[in-house]
Amino acid sequence: MMTAARTVESGLAGSGELDRYPYAEAPAGERAALRSWGGADSELGRASRRGAASRGRGLHGQLVQQLGQMIVSGDLGADRPLVPEEIGQRFEVSRTVVRESLRVLEAKGLVSARPNVGTRVRPVSDWNLLDPDIIEWRAFGPSRDDQRRELGDLRWTIEPLAARLAAGHGREDLQQRLGDMVEIMGHAMAQSDGITFSRADAEFHALLIQAAGNRMLEHLSGIVSAALQVSGAPITGCDRPTEASLGHHARIVEALATGDSAGAELAMRQLLTVHPEVEPRPEAEPRVVPAPREH
């Protein structure tokens, strides 16, 4: 027998109580998708379904997606209690699915589970804003404009520096692969194949950061990948197949091949300003990455 659902306001579940809820385990494949939480707006629902479908997620992934978007959008505000059995009944999922989903959200800093307090939504200051899922959820929520601007700012800091460092490392294997990506992008553009272009573009930027030879920069490569994968309004000229974008990619490869650090950095800056949304804001100081000191 399933436990009667409590309203969110009526009580809290301690972190140790998750295993005590007598949910019936749902047979594999019994349900194709989650039921939407009542009150969620249609745009949020569409984004959730799109994310789940595009990643081939099962019930667990769909619940993480749905709850994550609701938290990031503000539908579930800070300090809001999350009652596991209510979540299970609302979305018609098992105890195991709810428990694992909340653990994933806790790892992302979106919720916290404490004995005698329960599971609650955490404030924005506690979120892992560099997490690719959170980046995507913010890009589809009310903070979409801020998210895209912040991503552009970070890319202005990360990628020109990566291009400069990559030119000084002379990694011929990675340079060859970067050249291959440019060639693929060119063929894809000629065939009006935006999907192949985008995939090659994402691979190009990931390889470039890898070629920089800086492990800390490489650790941040997920930001760039997430930025390139976010759909909607373009963040940079990289997001659309154009001759200008392709030319800047090619010039980066040429600069790397000749060890031209300044040229590689300049070509990357030009690439990132193909679209005006990422140009330096007038009120801000110019974003300049200092050259490494010579010893």
Side-chain angles (χ1 to χ4, degrees):
M1 181 177 68
M2 183 173 289
T3 303
R6 292 179 289 177
T7 63
V8 171
E9 290 80 9
S10 64
L12 297 174
S15 59
E17 296 180 342
L18 289 171
D19 292 326
R20 299 215 306 269
Y21 296 134
Y23 296 137
E25 294 293 328
E30 179 178 333
R31 300 182 180 88
L34 295 175
R35 172 183 295 179
S36 297
W37 190 299
D41 61 40
S42 59
E43 181 180 358
L44 179 61
R46 287 195 300 271
S48 176
R49 288 191 294 274
R50 176 179 60 243
S54 65
R55 299 181 184 182
R57 290 173 168 174
L59 290 179
H60 162 260
Q62 291 182 52
L63 184 58
V64 169
Q65 182 90 354
Q66 183 89 29
L67 292 176
Q69 287 182 313
M70 294 178 74
I71 293 170
V72 170
S73 71
D75 284 356
L76 296 175
D79 207 37
R80 175 77 174 266
L82 299 178
V83 183
E85 70 266 35
E86 180 180 279
I87 294 173
Q89 288 197 10
R90 289 288 187 97
F91 291 99
E92 298 184 348
V93 294
S94 69
R95 173 183 63 196
T96 299
V97 170
V98 174
R99 180 178 65 243
E100 294 303 319
S101 298
L102 290 178
R103 284 177 178 170
V104 171
L105 294 175
E106 185 173 16
K108 296 177 184 293
L110 295 178
V111 305
S112 62
R114 292 180 293 171
N116 303 319
V117 175
T119 301
R120 288 180 174 268
V121 176
R122 299 171 71 174
V124 178
S125 58
D126 291 342
W127 299 353
N128 178 9
L129 295 178
L130 301 183
D131 182 279
D133 283 330
I134 295 180
I135 289 174
E136 178 184 323
W137 298 334
R138 291 186 72 208
F140 286 110
S143 300
R144 60 176 65 87
D145 291 338
D146 287 340
Q147 176 66 99
R148 289 174 176 136
R149 173 182 54 78
E150 290 167 2
L151 283 172
D153 289 343
L154 279 174
R155 292 190 64 186
W156 260 89
T157 301
I158 295 170
E159 295 196 79
L161 175 59
R164 170 180 285 275
L165 294 176
H169 274 73
R171 290 286 304 274
E172 293 183 3
D173 56 333
L174 293 178
Q175 290 174 14
Q176 178 60 50
R177 292 171 64 188
L178 286 166
D180 291 343
M181 292 305 108
V182 173
E183 185 175 353
I184 292 172
M185 292 163 66
H187 287 304
M189 188 172 66
Q191 298 296 323
S192 300
D193 185 353
I195 294 177
T196 299
F197 185 97
S198 296
R199 288 174 177 170
D201 185 30
E203 180 71 9
F204 179 96
H205 290 270
L207 286 170
L208 182 65
I209 293 177
Q210 183 181 349
N214 184 303
R215 292 183 179 179
M216 295 189 72
L217 276 180
E218 190 170 345
H219 185 71
L220 297 176
S221 63
I223 300 171
V224 175
S225 297
L228 291 168
Q229 292 169 7
V230 169
S231 60
I235 298 173
T236 72
C238 307
D239 301 297
R240 295 179 294 187
T242 65
E243 290 288 350
S245 172
L246 186 63
H248 291 313
H249 283 85
R251 278 188 283 278
I252 292 171
V253 174
E254 292 170 1
L256 296 183
T258 60
D260 182 1
S261 298
E265 179 179 358
L266 176 60
M268 176 57 75
R269 290 188 182 281
Q270 291 172 334
L271 173 59
L272 293 177
T273 53
V274 168
H275 197 280
E277 289 182 8
V278 294
E279 289 182 356
R281 288 164 286 164
E283 70 275 13
E285 291 294 328
R287 288 175 281 195
V288 177
V289 178
R293 294 181 180 179
E294 296 184 1
H295 298 283

